[in-house]
Amino acid sequence: MTDVVVLNSITDVTPDHAGKVVVTGSNGGMFCAHAVVGGRLQGAVFNDAGVGLHGAGIAALGFCDAYRVPVCTVAHTSSRIGDGHDTMARGVVSRANRAAAAVGVAAGMTCREAAPLLLAASPLPGEPTGAAAFRHEIRVPGKTEPVVCIDSAALATPSDAGGVIVTGSHGGTIGGKVAVYVPARFFAYNDAGFGMEDAGAAGLEPLAERGIAAVVVSHMTAEIGNATSTYESGVVSRANSVAAAAGFTPGVPLAKALVPYLR
């Protein structure tokens, strides 16, 4: 299957992947949907991230249908989010968009069975509409330190080092390794429903080992792929040991928990 490529993250897509089917460990949210269409991929397989609030974990399916790009998701309980090779090896299809269904992909099929079928589709060329991802800062009254909101952890910049970063990304590892693009002092992620082998929060303790406080918010309280949603409506579902020592507790809204933590 030379035209089927396995990547741990959709952020690893390059121009060389145009026209190929990409099996990823990423969630099926809107940031990932833009990467599929913008990268001119033939099709893609994602993790459904527990589907979550407003169906954010599978938002790529409908978006990509507008371009007739076949996309399906595997159940978050069938393979580890953030691990493309595990997606291919153990993933079981949970949902398929119309374009994928038209070439024979159906729920219950293994990823190994589904991925090559996507090669038979005929996507429409086009550029994705709307913004792929957002980055902005939130200022909390009485605090000098901003909250940096980025829809993907990959959008972190060197200037964010030592700061407070709220992401729309899952809280797992990427290919088994924690992805820290900058050494911030705090990160917030989406728990992606935790899923297979607790993968949605697998990055928390490796971050603690680096002295970085980190939490995940419940996928049912915030849209995965949407940092603003993580901040505004996310409720902490788990905190690593550094964050717990700093006062972050499961069941508390993230925005409220951050107030005493911010400088």
Side-chain angles (χ1 to χ4, degrees):
M1 293 192 294
T2 56
D3 289 324
V4 177
V5 179
V6 178
L7 300 175
N8 289 321
S9 173
I10 195 67
T11 60
D12 293 331
V13 164
T14 70
D16 290 339
H17 294 123
K20 297 182 182 295
V21 168
V22 174
V23 174
T24 85
S26 294
N27 68 79
M30 287 301 294
F31 176 82
C32 300
H34 278 259
V36 170
V37 176
R40 300 186 182 280
L41 301 185
Q42 167 66 26
V45 181
F46 293 110
N47 188 294
D48 69 17
V51 183
L53 185 66
H54 302 147
I58 58 170
L61 274 65
F63 183 89
C64 290
D65 253 336
Y67 302 88
R68 297 183 188 171
V69 180
V71 172
C72 64
T73 56
V74 300
H76 70 304
T77 53
S78 69
S79 62
R80 294 187 298 269
I81 195 166
D83 190 333
H85 293 281
D86 197 47
T87 301
M88 177 63 93
R90 297 194 292 176
V92 176
V93 175
S94 57
R95 289 171 175 78
N97 68 359
R98 291 192 302 274
V103 293
V105 178
M109 186 176 285
T110 67
C111 180
R112 286 194 181 279
E113 294 170 326
L117 296 179
L118 303 182
L119 294 168
S122 299
L124 296 174
E127 293 297 325
T129 58
F134 294 93
R135 174 192 170 89
H136 64 98
E137 294 185 357
I138 293 175
R139 295 283 177 172
V140 176
K143 303 292 181 177
T144 59
E145 182 177 33
V147 178
V148 176
C149 291
I150 49 177
D151 287 347
S152 170
L155 298 175
T157 66
S159 64
D160 299 324
V164 172
I165 300 179
V166 172
T167 83
S169 297
H170 64 77
T173 57
I174 304 297
K177 298 180 180 180
V178 64
V180 180
Y181 300 93
V182 298
R185 73 184 186 97
F186 176 88
F187 284 100
Y189 303 96
N190 189 293
D191 68 20
F194 294 108
M196 174 65 78
E197 297 169 3
D198 215 30
L204 292 185
E205 283 312 312
L207 287 172
E209 291 170 5
R210 301 187 185 192
I212 298 173
V215 304
V216 289
V217 301
S218 168
H219 69 303
M220 294 308 299
T221 64
E223 297 177 356
I224 196 165
N226 184 339
T228 300
S229 182
T230 303
Y231 177 80
E232 292 183 347
S233 64
V235 175
V236 175
S237 54
R238 187 176 298 174
N240 71 5
S241 54
V242 179
F248 289 88
T249 305
V252 177
L254 177 63
K256 179 180 179 180
L258 277 172
V259 173
Y261 182 77
L262 290 168
R263 295 167 175 161

